[in-house]
Amino acid sequence: MITDKDKIVALIDGDVIAYRAAAVCEEGDADEVIQTVKNFIRRWATDIDASKSIVFVSEGDNFRHDIYPEYKQNRIGKDKPRFASSTKEWMLDNYTQVLSDPRLEADDRLSMYATEDHGLDEVRVIITTDKDMRQVPAYVYNPDYSVLIDRYTQDECMQMLFYQWVCGDRVDGYYGIDNFGVEKYRKWVHRVLDERGDGRISSKDVLELYKDKGYDEKYCLQQLFCATIKHNKLPEVLKPLEINGFDQEQEFYTPIGETRFWRGVKAKV
């Protein structure tokens, strides 16, 4: 629990801000976009009473593109705000990138920074509108949905990861199992629960589901790697950035989703 005595550090998703600032200033000029970026950062940090802000910006293609070339290819050719790319470049030049690694997206880097055992007298809070952060066991503030800081448990985060592994994310251009949404996923989860009887789903259950639906192992693992947000609390088997580093014999699990999880995926996914 965060108290008024805690030093709060805002970990800000710069990719979201770059796009939004460019969209707001579509009819303006570059100077207006930069000022809007600064205003967004200031406003979001103020919302949570942060004493410091760190901005994370993606630096181009990342490990997901190497594993699954179709990743985010659905966005190519679609109109985007004319200052979107140049704004990201400006942000990279003007905001020091903590844990900078071009193989990682901003989501991964801020999640790793939020979950590291830093031992410092501070509370790190992710600020983003991206639903993927429901995979990260950390404090998260979504300015689009709440005036309060939320915190996701390890169990909730694994529930979200398994859901996105099976159902995919059309916004990010990986599609999981065709025609699988919340209701089909729920039915499958409870069918496995009835069979296993231990209240959880395993990685091998998902691999078998993909096989039953006619997909090969490679595609299944590509969807897993596209879905997984990297952070320090992941099971070790999920930390590699290459499929050949994944050991299928190391099972990992998720508990069955509770009410809060189902409500969240219905509203935001």
Side-chain angles (χ1 to χ4, degrees):
M1 180 178 178
I2 300 176
T3 72
D4 57 6
K5 296 181 180 179
D6 289 314
K7 176 184 176 183
I8 298 174
V9 178
L11 312 183
I12 295 178
D13 187 338
D15 290 355
V16 169
I17 285 183
Y19 191 92
R20 288 195 171 194
V24 168
C25 302
E26 183 70 34
E27 302 303 321
D29 57 31
D31 289 339
E32 289 181 61
V33 180
I34 290 170
Q35 187 57 52
T36 302
V37 166
K38 294 177 179 178
N39 290 342
F40 267 123
I41 293 171
R42 186 182 305 112
R43 185 188 313 156
W44 286 4
T46 300
D47 282 350
I48 64 170
D49 296 323
S51 59
K52 176 182 176 182
S53 297
I54 303 175
V55 181
F56 295 78
V57 184
S58 298
E59 300 179 45
D61 288 350
N62 58 77
F63 75 95
R64 296 177 181 87
H65 294 92
D66 295 332
I67 289 170
Y68 186 60
E70 291 86 351
Y71 181 68
K72 291 188 177 179
Q73 292 300 298
N74 57 323
R75 301 183 184 185
I76 294 177
K78 291 187 177 181
D79 291 339
K80 63 180 180 179
R82 64 191 177 104
F83 290 113
S85 296
S86 60
T87 301
K88 283 183 66 173
E89 291 300 321
W90 180 87
M91 293 175 74
L92 283 168
D93 289 340
N94 287 272
Y95 294 100
T96 300
Q97 294 301 291
V98 177
L99 301 180
S100 182
D101 183 340
R103 297 175 300 167
L104 300 176
E105 289 188 79
D107 289 353
D108 304 302
R109 296 208 310 270
L110 65 84
S111 297
M112 292 180 71
Y113 196 74
T115 57
E116 72 176 6
D117 296 324
H118 51 77
L120 302 175
D121 183 22
E122 63 185 31
V123 177
R124 297 174 179 179
V125 179
I126 296 169
I127 306 183
T128 184
T129 61
D130 193 332
K131 63 187 179 301
D132 294 344
M133 291 301 101
R134 293 182 62 217
Q135 286 189 31
V136 184
Y139 288 109
V140 179
Y141 171 62
N142 185 332
D144 280 359
Y145 288 106
S146 179
V147 296
L148 301 174
I149 297 171
D150 207 343
R151 185 174 180 87
Y152 301 123
T153 67
Q154 185 73 29
D155 283 351
E156 288 175 314
C157 294
M158 290 305 294
Q159 289 162 20
M160 186 63 176
L161 170 56
F162 271 68
Y163 174 83
Q164 290 188 289
W165 180 11
V166 172
C167 298
D169 185 340
R170 291 189 170 275
V171 174
D172 285 343
Y174 67 95
Y175 301 100
I177 296 175
D178 192 36
N179 294 321
F180 245 74
V182 178
E183 293 309 319
K184 280 191 176 182
Y185 181 75
R186 184 200 294 268
K187 290 178 182 178
W188 172 73
V189 161
H190 288 289
R191 185 167 65 249
V192 175
L193 175 61
D194 291 341
E195 293 171 356
R196 290 176 60 94
D198 62 359
R200 60 184 185 172
I201 302 292
S202 81
S203 53
K204 290 188 177 180
D205 292 324
V206 178
L207 286 162
E208 189 62 32
L209 175 64
Y210 268 90
K211 181 180 178 181
D212 288 346
K213 295 299 181 181
Y215 298 96
D216 62 24
E217 178 183 290
K218 178 180 178 181
Y219 177 79
C220 176
L221 295 181
Q222 286 173 323
Q223 303 309 291
L224 171 61
F225 274 71
C226 285
T228 306
I229 302 300
K230 301 298 184 181
H231 60 78
N232 291 299
K233 305 302 182 181
L234 280 173
E236 287 298 319
V237 67
L238 291 175
K239 291 183 179 180
L241 302 184
E242 299 177 354
I243 285 180
N244 61 14
F246 177 79
D247 181 359
Q248 291 188 39
E249 296 306 311
Q250 292 188 44
E251 278 188 274
F252 53 97
Y253 301 85
T254 180
I256 300 303
E258 301 298 335
T259 302
R260 170 174 147 117
F261 168 74
W262 294 117
R263 184 170 62 244
V265 296
K266 279 188 173 182
K268 301 175 186 176
V269 174

